[in-house]
Amino acid sequence: MNDWNIYPRPSLKRNGNYKILNDGWTLNNLPVKLPFPPESKLAEYEGKITQVYTYQKKLELPQEAVKCLKSNGKLMLYFGAVDQVCSVYANDELVGHSELGYFTLTCDITKQANEAIANNDPAILIRLEGEDFLDHSKPYGKQRTDRGGMWYTPISGVWQTVWMEWLPESYISKINYDVKESLVTFKLCFNEEENDSEKTVKATLKTVEGDYNFLIKGNDYSLDLSSIEIAGKKHEPQYWTAENPYLYELELDYNGDKVETYFALRTVSIEKVDGVQRICVNHKPVFLNGVLDQGYFEDGIFTPESPEEYKKDILRMKELGFNTLRKHIKVEPEIFYYLCDSLGIYVIQDMVNNGPYNFLVDTALATVGLKKNDKNRYDENQKEWFKLSAFETQNFLHNHPSIIAYTVFNEGWGQTDSDEIGDLLKERDPSRIYDYTSGWFKQQHSDVDSVHIYFRTKKLKQELKPLLLSEFGGFSRAVEGHIWNPKKSYGYGKCKDEKELTDRIIETYKKMVLPAIPLGLCAAIYTQLSDVEDEINGFYTYDRKICKVDKNRIAEFMLKELKTC
């Protein structure tokens, strides 16, 4: 049984008229298990990894799909994510192309399906031709052909769920929510854009008091939840926080196209509190006590064995007293963000880097304070690819309340014109906080000041902007039998056992974090959630089997001293 055979898009979910297509694929004519990259153990792929590759599957059309198509319906095929460049063919006809390895590729295969039905052979041959030369002009994250240290095993090919949906001739293709206090604006998109203003969608809002029914006419509809009545009782708006992750469920019906979705009331702002600038959620200051979460797994690399592993990671960190994940240099499948929304944890989402990197300039010299500015590091092609990926990240994640901040550039990796690009992103979505330059090479416009401190503790100064200690710690502890690369592992200071690692983490918080909070420190992001390949500086081992610290001591300290959820 494939644990990924669940509907992969919680923000716009349909029941019944879809089929998961992770089974039955070949890669270069050999069996491969999806949605796992072929480089991983979970893919069970026995072939050679090649830079040019071909996936293939014979797609049998369910009777329900055939019936829908005979009624002028549509058949859509989705690839959750494919690394790095790919083209999809249905019965040898091009139906889709993608050059961004972190986002869904949508293919309309209605024509090919109808031709197959007309020929009394309800099957389509799907072929995905891809290539992955790890082109650094496009976003690549922490993948590197010569992996090692802080750069990891590269992946290629399909690494997220594949599925299809059969839909009516006109259907809801997307919904976005814009939230201001208790006012929610629903913005609907349909596959047929003409005459959208004449379209009417029946909506049912699920609340603690009961159902609230209303009509959405056209593309936009605004609803003030503080003014509605349900069963004769005025509704009390429920606001989302990590401590109280309340989600409003919404059912939509457009001429029989029924979808389930959700949203939350949550605002993020920077406000002066007790004389210093603070990050506030729903106008109340929060301290973002978090960990770096790189989203790598020993057996699946980019893709865990099941979505349950995402849930376990979130709960592991909440158990230790943390309330924030910094999702580092990777965009996950949507199910991850739904779990953050529903379980209650704040997310600082990094944009995926591309472009040049130089260890001496970007890491070694910068770590000791020798820093330069960020001009003229990209050519225009690389700059446009970064912007395209960053825009798509915003589009993909717009509806998720857990995402309260974006990191634009990390430690100068491919950084250029950070004020210009950060301003563009903020203009597109002003509902989040933006850390333009995490670590160093800061410019002028960032919402926050952001520093990385390794190998030492440092007295943090009061800044005019909210201060993020966006990376620190990283102390290593090797656990025999749970080391991915025993010949070459590293961290930022060795600890011999559980007690020493726990002592050192708590001591660092006491010396560097706690004294800076009254001065305006708003976030502390410890490196990191788990070990990753050579790096053995996680709270958990890479296989997630061993927690390397004293859970009770860490949780007691965090909950008492930092008042996290």
Side-chain angles (χ1 to χ4, degrees):
M1 179 180 176
N2 192 324
D3 288 334
W4 280 97
N5 286 340
I6 61 171
Y7 195 88
R9 191 179 56 200
S11 66
L12 194 66
K13 182 179 180 181
R14 292 183 170 91
N15 290 315
N17 57 329
Y18 72 93
K19 184 176 181 180
I20 304 299
L21 302 174
N22 287 331
D23 298 327
W25 290 88
T26 61
L27 171 60
N28 296 341
N29 297 315
L30 291 173
V32 63
K33 287 187 69 175
L34 300 187
F36 310 108
E39 293 83 357
S40 70
K41 297 175 187 176
L42 292 173
E44 298 180 5
Y45 179 64
E46 297 182 356
K48 182 180 179 181
I49 303 299
T50 56
Q51 292 177 310
V52 178
Y53 54 84
T54 300
Y55 286 83
Q56 195 160 284
K57 175 184 173 70
K58 188 175 183 181
L59 179 59
E60 303 284 349
L61 300 181
Q63 285 300 314
E64 297 91 336
V66 173
K67 183 179 178 181
C68 177
L69 287 163
K70 287 181 176 179
S71 300
N72 296 320
K74 304 283 188 180
L75 187 63
M76 309 302 294
L77 174 66
Y78 308 93
F79 290 83
V82 184
D83 195 66
Q84 184 176 39
V85 177
C86 73
S87 297
V88 177
Y89 299 84
N91 289 345
D92 295 325
E93 293 185 75
L94 180 67
V95 292
H97 180 78
S98 172
E99 298 191 32
L100 290 174
Y102 295 85
F103 308 104
T104 301
L105 171 59
T106 300
C107 309
D108 186 340
I109 58 172
T110 305
K111 174 179 178 289
Q112 293 75 23
N114 282 328
E115 289 172 351
I117 294 169
N119 292 329
N120 295 315
D121 181 19
I124 305 172
L125 184 64
I126 302 298
R127 187 174 80 254
L128 184 149
E129 294 185 354
E131 63 178 46
D132 189 353
F133 293 95
L134 206 52
D135 179 359
H136 283 194
S137 69
K138 300 180 177 71
Y140 61 93
K142 301 195 79 172
Q143 303 179 70
R144 194 158 175 170
T145 304
D146 54 340
R147 61 140 309 277
M150 68 178 187
W151 302 97
Y152 310 140
T153 300
I155 64 109
S156 60
V158 179
W159 66 277
Q160 290 185 29
T161 288
V162 184
W163 83 101
M164 66 176 174
E165 287 181 319
W166 44 98
L167 304 166
E169 186 175 8
S170 183
Y171 59 89
I172 300 169
S173 60
K174 188 176 183 181
I175 181 168
N176 277 341
Y177 307 99
D178 285 335
V179 177
K180 294 181 180 179
E181 310 304 334
S182 62
L183 182 67
V184 184
T185 299
F186 306 95
K187 297 186 176 182
L188 274 66
C189 296
F190 304 87
N191 66 307
E192 296 178 336
E193 295 182 1
E194 65 274 14
N195 299 321
D196 278 359
S197 61
E198 298 178 5
K199 299 181 185 298
T200 299
V201 177
K202 297 177 183 178
T204 300
L205 180 68
K206 304 290 185 179
T207 75
V208 291
E209 298 92 354
D211 293 353
Y212 179 76
N213 299 310
F214 60 101
L215 297 178
I216 300 175
K217 294 187 177 182
N219 296 88
D220 295 352
Y221 181 86
S222 294
L223 180 66
D224 188 344
L225 294 181
S226 67
S227 65
I228 66 175
E229 290 188 1
I230 301 170
K233 183 180 179 181
K234 186 176 180 181
H235 175 63
E236 186 69 30
Q238 302 292 308
Y239 292 88
W240 187 97
T241 65
E243 297 86 352
N244 178 39
Y246 187 90
L247 301 177
Y248 282 94
E249 296 178 2
L250 186 68
E251 295 178 356
L252 303 176
D253 184 346
Y254 170 56
N255 293 338
D257 179 32
K258 297 180 180 180
V259 299
E260 298 173 3
T261 181
Y262 71 93
F263 66 92
L265 299 182
R266 191 273 295 126
T267 61
V268 183
S269 56
I270 293 174
E271 302 177 23
K272 183 171 282 190
V273 180
D274 296 330
V276 295
Q277 298 293 326
R278 297 287 186 193
I279 293 174
C280 296
V281 173
N282 303 324
H283 304 293
K284 295 181 180 179
V286 296
F287 185 81
L288 303 177
N289 185 32
V291 296
L292 203 69
D293 175 10
Q294 307 210 58
Y296 274 75
F297 298 85
E298 184 184 44
D299 51 2
I301 309 178
F302 260 34
T303 313
E305 184 176 17
S306 76
E308 185 70 15
E309 294 304 312
Y310 287 134
K311 181 178 180 179
K312 289 178 181 178
D313 271 356
I314 294 166
L315 294 178
R316 286 174 182 127
M317 295 303 103
K318 286 175 70 75
E319 181 185 23
L320 291 175
F322 294 101
N323 68 354
T324 302
L325 300 176
R326 179 181 169 195
K327 178 52 66 174
H328 193 43
I329 315 295
K330 184 177 179 239
V331 180
E332 298 286 10
E334 190 181 333
I335 188 69
F336 167 80
Y337 300 98
Y338 165 72
L339 290 167
C340 292
D341 295 341
S342 59
L343 295 172
I345 199 160
Y346 300 118
V347 177
I348 300 172
Q349 173 67 49
D350 290 9
M351 300 302 178
V352 181
N353 60 288
N354 69 329
Y357 168 80
N358 181 288
F359 172 76
L360 179 64
V361 174
D362 289 328
T363 297
L365 294 178
T367 298
V368 297
L370 299 175
K371 303 169 185 177
K372 56 175 182 48
N373 96 19
D374 69 342
K375 296 293 182 183
N376 303 318
R377 304 202 60 215
Y378 268 113
D379 61 39
E380 284 301 312
N381 179 55
Q382 291 170 335
K383 183 175 178 179
E384 289 307 307
W385 276 114
F386 180 83
K387 287 162 58 178
L388 182 63
S389 177
F391 293 165
E392 191 61 30
T393 301
Q394 290 180 304
N395 295 341
F396 178 52
L397 300 178
H398 178 79
N399 288 341
H400 293 282
S402 57
I403 298 174
I404 63 169
Y406 282 113
T407 303
V408 183
F409 291 105
N410 178 74
E411 292 187 354
W413 301 353
Q415 181 186 343
T416 193
D417 298 330
S418 52
D419 278 350
E420 173 195 332
I421 293 174
D423 288 350
L424 281 173
L425 295 173
K426 190 170 183 178
E427 182 180 3
R428 294 182 83 251
D429 179 6
S431 67
R432 269 92 183 189
I433 304 298
Y434 287 82
D435 179 359
Y436 287 25
T437 54
S438 180
W440 35 76
F441 308 148
K442 72 177 182 178
Q443 304 303 298
Q444 301 299 316
H445 296 180
S446 177
D447 290 334
V448 297
D449 286 321
S450 181
V451 296
H452 295 180
I453 299 174
Y454 288 116
F455 301 109
R456 66 195 189 281
T457 59
K458 181 179 179 181
K459 186 176 181 180
L460 299 173
K461 300 177 182 178
Q462 186 164 357
E463 304 287 349
L464 295 176
K465 298 177 180 180
L467 177 62
L468 309 188
L469 179 54
S470 45
E471 289 184 33
F472 76 107
F475 308 126
S476 67
R477 178 194 164 199
V479 179
E480 188 174 348
H482 300 272
I483 305 172
W484 191 82
N485 184 8
K487 294 182 179 180
K488 195 174 184 181
S489 55
Y490 84 101
Y492 306 118
K494 294 182 179 179
C495 300
K496 64 180 182 295
D497 56 23
E498 177 187 279
K499 182 179 185 305
E500 183 178 357
L501 179 57
T502 303
D503 287 345
R504 193 160 184 185
I505 291 171
I506 290 175
E507 179 185 18
T508 301
Y509 274 84
K510 287 181 175 178
K511 288 185 176 180
M512 186 163 60
V513 176
L514 294 181
I517 293 175
L519 304 178
L521 181 66
C522 293
I525 306 298
Y526 184 88
T527 302
Q528 60 182 320
L529 186 152
S530 76
D531 297 349
V532 181
E533 298 197 351
D534 294 0
E535 296 184 12
I536 55 170
N537 51 11
F539 280 105
Y540 278 79
T541 54
Y542 196 16
D543 58 15
R544 288 6 182 230
K545 291 182 179 179
I546 304 293
C547 181
K548 301 197 292 182
V549 297
D550 184 324
K551 291 183 185 179
N552 292 332
R553 285 186 61 205
I554 291 290
E556 181 182 11
F557 173 80
M558 297 297 174
L559 294 170
K560 179 181 177 181
E561 300 296 337
L562 294 170
K563 299 181 177 63
T564 60
C565 65

